[in-house]
Amino acid sequence: MQQMMQTEKSYELAARVVPSKRQLRWQELEMYVFCHFGMNTFTGKEWGDGKTSPSEFNPKKLDARQWAREVKNAGFKGLLLTCKHHDGFCLWPSEYTDYSVKNSPYKNGKGDIVKEVSDACREYGLKFGVYLSPWDRHEKTYGTDEYNIYFKNQLRELASNYGDLFCFWFDGACGEGPNGKKQVYDWDGYYSVIRELQPDAVISISGPDVRWCGNEAGKTRESEWSVVPSFVGNQAYTAEHSQKEDTPDFAKNVNASTEDIGSRKFIDGLKDFIWYPAETDVSIRPGWFYHRSQDFKVKSVKKLMNIYWGAVGGNSSLLLNIPPDKNGLLSKYDVRALRRFGNELKKEFSENLAKNSKVSVSSELDDEHSVINIIEGEGFWQCAENDTAPEIIIEFSETVTADKIVLKENIATGQQIENFEVYGDNGNGWELVTKSTVIGAKRICRFKKQGLKRVKIVITSYRVKATLKSVELYCRK
């Protein structure tokens, strides 16, 4: 067995890696919202210094139900709240600091915005998650061992008092504290608290479960691999060694925005891999917090849809920031963009044209992994071991008009497909319609609107086994 392991190729080792149950549940969300809200909303800053008085914080018309309602109606499935940003101001009445909503005019110091938002999310069927900045420009213990205790205590408050959380979102921001010292973060200790109290929550970005796509502009990779070398998940190691080309264990320069982090060529010679799927985070405005001056700079629906095609349609989740204003409401400009975006999605995916089609295939592993599963939505298809270029043909009872195809791998057994082609037949024989690279959780391929009697999918390269969980066909209405 040991000898066999030594002779396995890198891509074969990578093909063995599968997601955890929490990662699989997270992957199903596809898109969710960030709400950057806090002291910066009132000061007009993006990064506060922690010196603003709590008396400045007073969202007089705050309505978390409005947030949740608009987010839900636009098709998002979850919401993340900035419970504490870099300024250290807490949106819940933390017992470990006075720099919180409890000392603000909001509800005469009796308010708990984290609770209001979490309750609203559950009312509207949204998952709720929290952002807690490790960098704290207010807390005097920042830069000392005591701060890690302070931070873990605040994690326990959030993990214990607001129901089930789907995500803890950390960035790696690290600056000097009030004492002029930088903090050495106890990441393992932070993770242990979360795993103990919220075992089903993913830990994102500066965490082991979800990877940052590498930019905040909504740009995505052509080939987004969820299986990557393990060093990609080591935040501190990457930061320290990314400029040292002569480091033996770090043979390739890697940072969050490297275009290729998972191909056969890139991983060749490596042996240790992790499931570390991508998240694309982007703000609907130029800034992350609300600024009135940006009311007319909200992203257009065309821009939002392009981001969606690249993110959700390219094996990444979409985290779209919608910042509430000083009143504690989503602005009418953001709401208008959200509603238009939601309406566009409904037009693009109104009817699955492949639902009642006839399907055939070049091979099946066995009866349990029949190709009919990709149409009926039960189980998944897997090709026979000796089928090096499996083909799936979908036939329609009458000509259908389509402009996009949606494919999903059965990622519970790994990410395997490297390249595929899609052909269409309108009665004059097969013609190439579109082609692409990796599939993963979801790949959306758009093409010129056309009438089709048959569709053929050819998987031109895969790693160890080719699987598909579903194939869907749509046309914009």
Side-chain angles (χ1 to χ4, degrees):
M1 179 67 179
Q2 185 175 1
Q3 180 64 30
M4 184 182 72
M5 288 291 291
Q6 290 175 348
T7 59
E8 279 188 302
K9 295 180 175 64
S10 295
Y11 75 85
E12 293 172 324
L13 293 172
R16 293 170 175 262
V17 179
V18 298
S20 66
K21 290 182 179 179
R22 70 174 69 90
Q23 288 172 316
L24 279 173
R25 284 190 293 267
W26 164 84
Q27 200 87 59
E28 292 172 356
L29 297 179
E30 294 190 351
M31 59 180 196
Y32 39 95
V33 158
F34 221 158
C35 283
H36 274 65
F37 186 65
M39 190 63 78
N40 292 339
T41 309
F42 294 85
T43 63
K45 298 178 180 178
E46 285 289 310
W47 283 11
D49 58 15
K51 297 178 181 179
T52 306
S53 170
S55 64
E56 297 294 316
F57 184 84
N58 191 16
K60 296 179 180 179
K61 299 179 181 180
L62 190 143
D63 183 0
R65 297 178 73 253
Q66 183 237 10
W67 306 7
R69 181 173 61 253
E70 296 296 345
V71 167
K72 176 73 172 183
N73 289 342
F76 292 83
K77 297 180 181 178
L79 186 152
L80 281 164
L81 176 66
T82 53
C83 301
K84 183 189 81 167
H85 205 254
H86 307 328
D87 53 47
F89 185 77
C90 299
L91 295 185
W92 78 101
S94 174
E95 69 173 275
Y96 298 101
T97 182
D98 290 331
Y99 200 51
S100 82
V101 69
K102 69 184 178 184
N103 285 316
S104 77
Y106 180 66
K107 293 191 174 180
N108 297 315
K110 302 298 182 184
D112 184 342
I113 291 172
V114 178
K115 185 176 189 305
E116 289 186 53
V117 179
S118 63
D119 287 349
C121 285
R122 288 179 178 84
E123 179 181 348
Y124 283 91
L126 296 171
K127 300 292 184 182
F128 179 62
V130 299
Y131 165 103
L132 190 67
S133 172
W135 186 20
D136 192 320
R137 304 181 75 179
H138 178 85
E139 175 57 35
K140 289 181 173 59
T141 63
Y142 184 89
T144 69
D145 290 341
E146 285 76 12
Y147 178 76
N148 281 321
I149 297 172
Y150 170 83
F151 191 79
K152 283 183 278 190
N153 282 334
Q154 291 197 322
L155 275 178
R156 289 189 181 94
E157 286 183 317
L158 293 174
S160 301
N161 298 324
Y162 300 98
D164 292 335
L165 304 177
F166 85 93
C167 177
F168 283 78
W169 205 98
F170 298 129
D171 54 34
C174 184
E176 289 189 358
N179 51 22
K181 297 179 180 179
K182 286 190 176 181
Q183 182 68 41
V184 177
Y185 297 135
D186 179 17
W187 290 116
D188 288 341
Y190 304 164
Y191 303 159
S192 294
V193 171
I194 296 167
R195 293 295 192 235
E196 174 193 348
L197 299 174
Q198 294 281 345
D200 293 333
V202 294
I203 307 172
S204 299
I205 314 310
S206 285
D209 297 317
V210 177
R211 167 174 54 85
W212 183 42
C213 74
N215 65 85
E216 295 179 347
K219 182 181 181 297
T220 50
R221 294 176 176 85
E222 179 186 3
S223 301
E224 193 66 81
W225 283 96
S226 296
V227 180
V228 297
S230 59
F231 59 71
V232 174
N234 189 327
Q235 306 288 338
Y237 189 75
T238 301
E240 180 182 355
H241 295 283
S242 62
Q243 302 303 316
K244 296 184 179 181
E245 297 179 355
D246 58 347
T247 305
D249 294 333
F250 202 84
K252 301 173 177 66
N253 255 359
V254 177
N255 57 46
S257 59
T258 299
E259 181 63 27
D260 178 11
I261 58 174
S263 71
R264 286 198 195 198
K265 181 179 178 181
F266 181 83
I267 67 174
D268 185 42
L270 302 176
K271 300 298 181 185
D272 192 15
F273 302 94
I274 56 174
W275 189 275
Y276 203 29
E279 174 186 87
T280 301
D281 64 317
V282 63
S283 184
I284 201 168
R285 292 164 167 258
W288 288 85
F289 285 89
Y290 176 83
H291 307 289
R292 185 178 179 182
S293 62
Q294 297 177 359
D295 281 349
F296 297 103
K297 296 181 180 180
V298 174
K299 286 181 173 59
S300 66
V301 67
K302 181 179 180 181
K303 179 66 174 177
L304 292 174
M305 286 302 300
N306 283 338
I307 292 171
Y308 173 87
W309 297 128
V312 177
N315 193 38
S316 175
S317 70
L318 173 58
L319 174 56
L320 180 65
N321 180 61
I322 316 287
D325 63 18
K326 289 184 178 181
N327 286 317
L329 300 171
L330 301 186
S331 82
K332 63 181 181 181
Y333 304 99
D334 297 24
V335 167
R336 182 172 60 192
L338 266 181
R339 290 178 178 177
R340 289 176 175 175
F341 176 64
N343 288 336
E344 284 297 302
L345 288 177
K346 291 174 184 176
K347 291 176 182 178
E348 295 285 357
F349 300 102
S350 61
E351 179 186 4
N352 177 13
L353 302 170
K355 190 172 183 179
N356 297 313
S357 60
K358 178 183 177 183
V359 61
S360 58
V361 70
S362 58
S363 74
E364 297 172 339
L365 181 64
D366 50 38
D367 291 343
E368 183 181 351
H369 299 90
S370 169
V371 73
I372 194 63
N373 293 337
I374 69 172
I375 301 300
E376 295 183 346
E378 299 289 338
F380 63 96
W381 162 81
Q382 182 172 326
C383 71
E385 293 181 0
N386 62 352
D387 193 346
T388 58
E391 297 184 3
I392 296 171
I393 296 177
I394 299 171
E395 298 184 57
F396 308 102
S397 57
E398 57 185 36
T399 300
V400 301
T401 302
D403 63 8
K404 71 185 70 68
I405 190 168
V406 181
L407 301 100
K408 298 179 182 179
E409 272 185 86
N410 184 58
I411 59 172
T413 56
Q415 187 182 7
Q416 311 276 351
I417 296 173
E418 296 173 311
N419 293 279
F420 67 94
E421 298 172 345
V422 179
Y423 295 83
D425 178 12
N426 61 5
N428 297 316
W430 294 115
E431 291 186 5
L432 181 67
V433 171
T434 186
K435 62 181 180 179
S436 192
T437 60
V438 302
I439 296 177
K442 178 179 277 192
R443 170 67 79 172
I444 304 174
C445 292
R446 295 178 293 155
F447 49 85
K448 183 179 178 180
K449 184 183 292 187
Q450 55 193 277
L452 297 168
K453 292 184 176 181
R454 298 188 298 168
V455 170
K456 178 168 65 175
I457 302 161
V458 183
I459 299 172
T460 54
S461 66
Y462 63 91
R463 291 187 168 174
V464 173
K465 54 190 176 186
T467 72
L468 284 175
K469 190 171 185 179
S470 70
V471 174
E472 300 170 356
L473 206 68
Y474 294 94
C475 187
R476 174 182 167 81
K477 297 296 184 184

